[in-house]
Amino acid sequence: MIEFKNDFYADIRTEDRSRTVISYTDGILQEMKTSVECRAFLRVYDGRMWYYASVTDLAHLQKTLDGLYAAATPNAQILDDPVVRRFERNRDTALRFADCSVRDIPAGEKQALLLSYLPLLSEDSCVTTHKGLYLDRNSLFRFQSSLGADITYDYQTCGLSFTCSMTEGEKKFTGTWQKGVTRFDELKGLNDELRAAVAEEAYFMRNSVPVTPGKYPVVLSPEAAGVFAHESFGHKSESDFMLSDKSMRDEWQLGKTVGSSILSIVDCGSVPGCGYVPYDDEGTRARKNYLIKNGILAGRLHSAQTAVALDEALTGNARATDCTFEPIVRMTTTYIEGGDLDFDQLIAPIKNGYFIKTINHGSGMSIFTIAPSFAYEIVDGKLGRPVQISVLTGSVFETLGLIDGLTRDVHLLSFVTGGCGKMEQMNLPVGFGGPYVRVSSMNVQ
Amino acid sequence: MEKEFLTETHRSVTLNVTGGKIDSFREKEETTGTVRVYENGCIGVAGCLGIPDENALTDKAREALALGIPYPCKLGGALEQEDLNEKEIIPVSELIPTMQSFLDRLGDACPRFAFSNKISLNYRKTEYRNSLGRHLTSSGSNVDIQLLAQNRGSGNLFDTSFVYKGADFDPDALLSQFKKEYNAFYTSADIAPGRYPVVMDISDLFGGTLQHFIAEMYASGASLLSGKLGKKVFSDRLSLKNDMNPATNPGVCFFDTEGCVAPDLRPTLIDRGTLVGLLTTKKSAEKLNLPNTGTAAASYDGVPTLGFNRFYAEPTAPTLSALVPGKAIYIVMTSGGDITPGGHFASPVQMAYLMENGRLVGRLPELNIGGDFSDFLGNDYIGAVRGDPSPDSMLCAVVMDVNM
């Protein structure tokens, strides 16, 4: 039982994380382990400074907490501090995965599932080496604060990732296909999907042609659109970047037009998937937050500190990669809302453009960059040859204004490798997605 | 049965900076232990968080042999080597006042910038022992200043960065260097599209190519370097290494997780234009019949895999002005460039300066750089310089296509 002291705000976040990794290269076992780690992150606030500690010795949390209290300065008015007043005091237990925890599935069953897919990777003779990876994670979180918050919730992802390196003559390609889900059973029966993915990689290697650099109309897949939304605008919605320079608040006033009138971007922590965060790491309940609604700047993402600084409501976006870091403002699941077209209608008006199907990575500040993996020509409204593109790039705001078509259906994606990086905190699981998105002009290189 | 035993301790104190003021103090300490056992060509691994019980871990590692993970390799033979760098850079109790004073002076010198992000003091100690008598110990510290600068009113997440990582803290030298960048930031410069010497951090230049140095990818034929091992196909001026030498990479461990110690503490990939090494573990080197460069890393409870510390290029000039006399483009931040399967590289550049005779002249508008990967290592490679403009910098110069 933790004893919180008066005259300070404090909270303690613990995570009991189980993680399984099984990997094969060319059919030979490389790694098979299940790690269980328990860590805690403690915070004490005296109204002036925050004092943090990250520990693995959960038997002595009180001692660590008392050490932080000793470093801080007592403040009899701490409960009147605007940041402390803003914290929610939720008490809840939200266990979604108790009946399907990957902890309860024997490692041998996970290994057998992965092994069942490996023969599909070498059906085409151009594959010179291949890797198969099974990953899962189940976490049990508890958050307690000196204000009385006490939340327990769980989180789970599992998935498969397959990488094939292929060569034929001078042609080379390395492609990765992966599937991230929240329940182990959803990883069964993927043979046709995986076989098609490997066949497409081989087709791309054999037939792709270099792009002629220039400006073209581009159609982004839900994967590419989701990364575009995340990188181009999502990071700009993280309000902590507005704390250092007060003039930023004038530049980023809500109500300003920032994109095409058909564009709406949402961030929501309660969406199932790898960006599921029912309560953030300050104990704030998740909610649906519009960042852009119909092209208008509609909101931004907050921790308690940034919500107070900008006098806006909490959003549930104070997140830490794990219990070795303090929460900072991060996205959860970020997506573009759908429009009114189907895919054929979306590409029909394009005489000469490109369809970006999958991507390697993306980034964005005032300019954004998307590095595609699979891309195809669009010629006279039809998909054409596969093309090699290094990067798509452009001004964020100019491009947001050039979005002129959206399909109806929205696809949200989860991944089990990689994640979002922000400063020192890398690989935070986030979800993203959207409809197919048409942009009237992008710089293609 | 052969056995390896490792312990590693990390300690850090990190300050968060918002608007030039320190608003948080974070302490972390973590010790891990690892036992790896080898028998009949297989490996068994066990690890723990906290101070390890070697006997208990050894029992668990033995049990893990039953998984049958192949790892045919020989352990390194007897060698005793120790490199302990225990010098205190700044006492923890003085870190906040020392850094707040530095930030105040920086704010006075650069009033149009708003500074944020982290300053940390980091300490690491690693010990490796094996059953053949190899015993290696390494410790080291660094101060890591990672400041983001917002040009007030720009509306950007950040506009440039002031960074430094070293075993010493000399606020006067850092302020002088940051002030030069600040002055150049507010001076406009321009340049016509064309081919120019481009100067950039070695990791930004070569980071995207790292996968092509991986032994398995090389052997599969999918690497752009496949078939070039042992051949002199790059520039004479290019010697490219993995920097595990604390003298140039403060705080780094001088051996890899398998107890390999490279000559000069820098595993070599390219030596004066010849591809001489790839990124290998003992296992991949053995399997592919390649020389082991000693670039293995592992989580505390995992089978060794590949690791990489930081690129190091053998300097070819003493100063930037000697490396690129005349006009050059000095790149501070790229924006996620990439290479096509055919080897074409392209990248937008978020922040770059025009440089003349090694001196920053002014800030260039956003631009794009590009070229061919093999040319970067070959005809277009100009050379490298270390310690200019800051003591920790490692910059390379390459001729590239530059477009606005």
Side-chain angles (χ1 to χ4, degrees):
Chain A
M1 184 76 176
I2 296 294
E3 285 185 26
F4 292 109
K5 282 189 178 177
N6 292 331
D7 300 339
F8 302 93
Y9 168 80
D11 60 42
I12 298 176
R13 169 168 49 97
T14 59
E15 180 186 3
D16 171 350
R17 178 185 295 203
S18 167
R19 194 161 182 271
T20 297
V21 180
I22 306 171
S23 73
Y24 280 83
T25 298
D26 297 331
I28 298 170
L29 183 63
Q30 306 293 313
E31 179 66 282
M32 184 162 167
K33 66 173 182 178
T34 296
S35 311
V36 178
E37 291 183 353
C38 296
R39 295 176 187 269
F41 196 88
L42 300 88
R43 309 194 305 171
V44 167
Y45 179 55
D46 62 10
R48 195 176 61 88
M49 283 271 291
W50 285 91
Y51 298 86
Y52 306 136
S54 167
V55 295
T56 55
D57 180 4
L58 271 54
H60 298 97
L61 289 179
Q62 187 69 53
K63 185 179 168 192
T64 305
L65 183 64
D66 291 343
L68 295 179
Y69 282 136
T73 306
N75 177 352
Q77 276 75 50
I78 192 67
L79 293 177
D80 295 327
D81 181 274
V83 173
V84 175
R85 287 168 62 95
R86 194 64 68 102
F87 285 128
E88 293 184 352
R89 305 175 184 212
N90 295 301
R91 296 176 71 85
D92 191 12
T93 299
L95 301 177
R96 288 172 60 102
F97 304 104
D99 65 338
C100 61
S101 172
V102 289
R103 296 185 199 232
D104 299 333
I105 296 169
E109 192 175 335
K110 299 170 185 175
Q111 184 183 23
L113 177 78
L114 177 60
L115 276 169
S116 73
Y117 289 118
L118 296 183
L120 305 182
L121 303 179
S122 49
E123 289 182 347
D124 192 311
S125 61
C126 70
V127 176
T128 51
T129 188
H130 58 77
K131 294 182 180 181
L133 180 64
Y134 169 86
L135 290 169
D136 70 34
R137 173 184 160 193
N138 178 283
S139 288
L140 184 66
F141 290 99
R142 186 172 183 195
F143 176 87
Q144 298 167 270
S145 82
S146 57
L147 300 177
D150 193 348
I151 302 157
T152 299
Y153 74 94
D154 60 358
Y155 172 92
Q156 181 164 294
T157 56
C158 52
L160 296 161
S161 173
F162 299 100
T163 299
C164 292
S165 290
M166 350 182 128
T167 61
E168 203 166 76
E170 291 299 305
K171 294 180 175 176
K172 307 168 192 292
F173 186 71
T174 296
T176 297
W177 177 88
Q178 71 164 275
K179 186 88 172 177
V181 296
T182 56
R183 291 170 181 254
F184 183 74
D185 285 347
E186 296 174 74
L187 295 175
K188 297 174 180 172
L190 300 175
N191 296 44
D192 292 346
E193 211 174 321
L194 176 58
R195 187 175 272 127
V198 178
E200 186 173 15
E201 289 169 10
Y203 178 77
F204 187 87
M205 180 200 65
R206 293 183 173 113
N207 299 290
S208 60
V209 294
V211 74
T212 303
K215 290 201 166 185
Y216 299 93
V218 167
V219 170
L220 304 174
S221 68
E223 177 182 333
V227 170
F228 175 69
H230 175 105
E231 298 293 349
S232 72
F233 201 79
H235 280 299
K236 291 182 176 57
S237 302
E238 295 168 340
S239 301
D240 44 357
F241 89 99
M242 301 181 74
L243 293 179
S244 291
D245 176 14
K246 288 192 165 52
S247 67
M248 299 289 282
R249 298 167 199 186
D250 299 328
E251 186 71 25
W252 286 86
Q253 283 189 3
L254 299 183
K256 179 179 177 178
T257 298
V258 290
S260 155
S261 62
I262 63 171
L263 176 66
S264 294
I265 300 179
V266 170
D267 184 274
C268 182
S270 58
V271 173
C274 63
Y276 171 67
V277 187
Y279 293 92
D280 75 7
D281 291 330
E282 292 183 328
T284 302
R285 193 188 301 269
R287 60 210 69 186
K288 182 175 181 178
N289 302 296
Y290 274 95
L291 308 181
I292 298 176
K293 193 162 191 179
N294 303 324
I296 307 294
L297 184 61
R300 43 191 151 235
L301 307 178
H302 285 298
S303 64
Q305 182 191 15
T306 65
V308 167
L310 275 73
D311 195 20
E312 293 173 5
L314 293 174
T315 59
N317 290 88
R319 301 183 65 194
T321 297
D322 55 34
C323 279
T324 66
F325 293 105
E326 68 271 30
I328 58 175
V329 183
R330 306 297 295 264
M331 284 171 266
T332 57
T333 294
T334 310
Y335 59 94
I336 297 174
E337 290 196 319
D340 57 0
L341 302 176
D342 60 35
F343 185 74
D344 289 340
Q345 290 171 317
L346 193 73
I347 66 171
I350 298 177
K351 296 284 179 204
N352 183 19
Y354 293 101
F355 168 52
I356 310 303
K357 185 172 181 182
T358 61
I359 66 145
N360 289 324
H361 58 82
S363 60
M365 294 224 298
S366 61
I367 51 177
F368 70 90
T369 304
I370 294 174
S373 181
F374 290 157
Y376 292 87
E377 292 173 335
I378 303 173
V379 180
D380 294 330
K382 305 282 183 198
L383 292 183
R385 295 176 300 177
V387 284
Q388 296 175 20
I389 297 174
S390 303
V391 291
L392 303 175
T393 182
S395 151
V396 169
F397 288 110
E398 188 184 329
T399 306
L400 290 172
L402 295 175
I403 292 173
D404 65 358
L406 305 168
T407 59
R408 273 182 289 277
D409 294 339
V410 170
H411 302 276
L412 300 181
L413 297 107
S414 281
F415 295 92
V416 284
T417 61
C420 174
K422 181 174 177 180
M423 305 311 155
E424 61 177 349
Q425 297 195 43
M426 307 305 289
N427 293 332
L428 180 77
V430 292
F432 52 77
Y436 291 88
V437 173
R438 187 176 65 215
V439 184
S440 61
S441 178
M442 278 177 134
N443 184 12
V444 179
Q445 297 181 59
Chain B
M1 186 186 77
E2 303 295 351
K3 177 177 143 184
E4 293 173 309
F5 175 68
L6 292 98
T7 57
E8 186 152 282
T9 296
H10 288 267
R11 280 200 300 271
S12 67
V13 178
T14 302
L15 309 177
N16 187 66
V17 178
T18 302
K21 299 293 177 195
I22 294 164
D23 62 7
S24 75
F25 176 94
R26 182 184 73 210
E27 276 193 299
K28 280 193 214 180
E29 178 163 357
E30 183 172 297
T31 296
T32 59
T34 304
V35 169
R36 296 194 287 256
V37 296
Y38 300 84
E39 195 168 66
N40 300 325
C42 288
I43 188 172
V45 185
C48 68
L49 281 175
I51 295 166
D53 175 338
E54 186 175 346
N55 291 331
L57 283 182
T58 303
D59 290 343
K60 277 189 179 175
R62 273 204 192 100
E63 288 171 22
L65 283 167
L67 293 171
I69 299 175
Y71 208 94
C73 72
K74 293 188 180 76
L75 299 187
L79 174 69
E80 286 271 351
Q81 199 164 329
E82 184 177 86
D83 179 31
L84 301 179
N85 299 290
E86 298 284 334
K87 187 189 85 172
E88 187 174 54
I89 301 171
I90 303 167
V92 169
S93 61
E94 294 172 22
L95 186 63
I96 290 178
T98 301
M99 289 303 173
Q100 189 57 65
S101 165
F102 171 69
L103 289 165
D104 291 344
R105 291 175 65 196
L106 184 61
D108 290 342
C110 309
R112 293 166 74 183
F113 277 173
F115 291 102
S116 62
N117 206 23
K118 304 288 184 192
I119 297 173
S120 57
L121 272 179
N122 303 296
Y123 171 83
R124 174 205 49 80
K125 183 171 185 181
T126 311
E127 182 181 3
Y128 170 97
R129 277 192 277 117
N130 74 21
S131 50
L132 299 184
R134 182 161 292 217
H135 187 192
L136 309 170
T137 313
S138 156
S139 70
S141 305
N142 60 52
V143 57
D144 190 3
I145 297 174
Q146 297 284 334
L147 292 176
L148 302 177
Q150 283 174 308
N151 173 24
R152 295 181 192 278
S154 73
N156 289 330
L157 301 183
F158 59 95
D159 294 278
T160 190
S161 58
F162 287 174
V163 299
Y164 167 76
K165 187 174 182 179
D168 300 295
F169 176 62
D170 180 345
D172 294 335
L174 288 176
L175 285 166
S176 168
Q177 177 209 330
F178 292 168
K179 178 70 175 170
K180 283 178 193 164
E181 272 197 57
Y182 176 78
N183 290 341
F185 185 91
Y186 289 104
T187 305
S188 291
D190 212 347
I191 199 161
R195 282 174 63 75
Y196 292 95
V198 169
V199 177
M200 57 198 293
D201 182 88
I202 186 171
S203 296
D204 291 340
L205 177 62
F206 290 114
T209 71
L210 199 58
Q211 61 172 326
H212 295 282
F213 289 96
I214 295 174
E216 285 93 340
M217 189 158 170
Y218 177 91
S220 76
S223 163
L224 291 167
L225 301 170
S226 292
K228 294 183 168 68
L229 191 65
K231 296 180 182 167
K232 187 177 182 314
V233 287
F234 304 120
S235 167
D236 285 340
R237 294 180 296 279
L238 178 60
S239 291
L240 194 61
K241 303 176 180 187
N242 176 15
D243 196 357
M244 298 170 73
N245 190 327
T248 47
N249 191 6
V252 74
C253 182
F254 70 87
F255 53 89
D256 80 348
T257 193
E258 297 185 301
C260 298
V261 182
D264 199 26
L265 310 183
R266 298 187 188 106
T268 303
L269 304 174
I270 296 172
D271 182 25
R272 289 165 291 173
T274 302
L275 182 66
V276 296
L278 297 160
L279 300 177
T280 56
T281 60
K282 284 189 172 179
K283 178 181 176 179
S284 63
E286 180 86 14
K287 176 186 164 192
L288 303 170
N289 196 25
L290 294 168
N292 181 29
T293 47
T295 49
S299 61
Y300 68 87
D301 60 351
V303 174
T305 179
L306 288 176
F308 197 80
N309 299 86
R310 190 168 88 161
F311 276 113
Y312 177 88
E314 210 56 63
T316 59
T319 61
L320 274 170
S321 60
L323 182 71
V324 279
K327 278 189 181 178
I329 295 171
Y330 177 66
I331 292 178
V332 178
M333 283 190 298
T334 57
S335 178
D338 209 341
I339 300 175
T340 66
H344 180 75
F345 168 82
S347 178
V349 173
Q350 187 78 41
M351 178 65 216
Y353 294 106
L354 177 64
M355 199 166 67
E356 282 188 20
N357 301 319
R359 191 178 59 82
L360 298 181
V361 174
R363 178 163 58 129
L364 289 166
E366 288 166 1
L367 49 88
N368 295 294
I369 53 174
D372 189 82
F373 168 70
S374 58
D375 291 338
F376 290 168
L377 304 175
N379 293 335
D380 290 341
Y381 184 75
I382 298 171
V385 65
R386 196 182 159 271
D388 188 7
S390 71
D392 62 324
S393 61
M394 177 86 246
L395 301 175
C396 279
V398 172
V399 178
M400 290 192 193
D401 300 323
V402 177
N403 295 297
M404 303 304 150

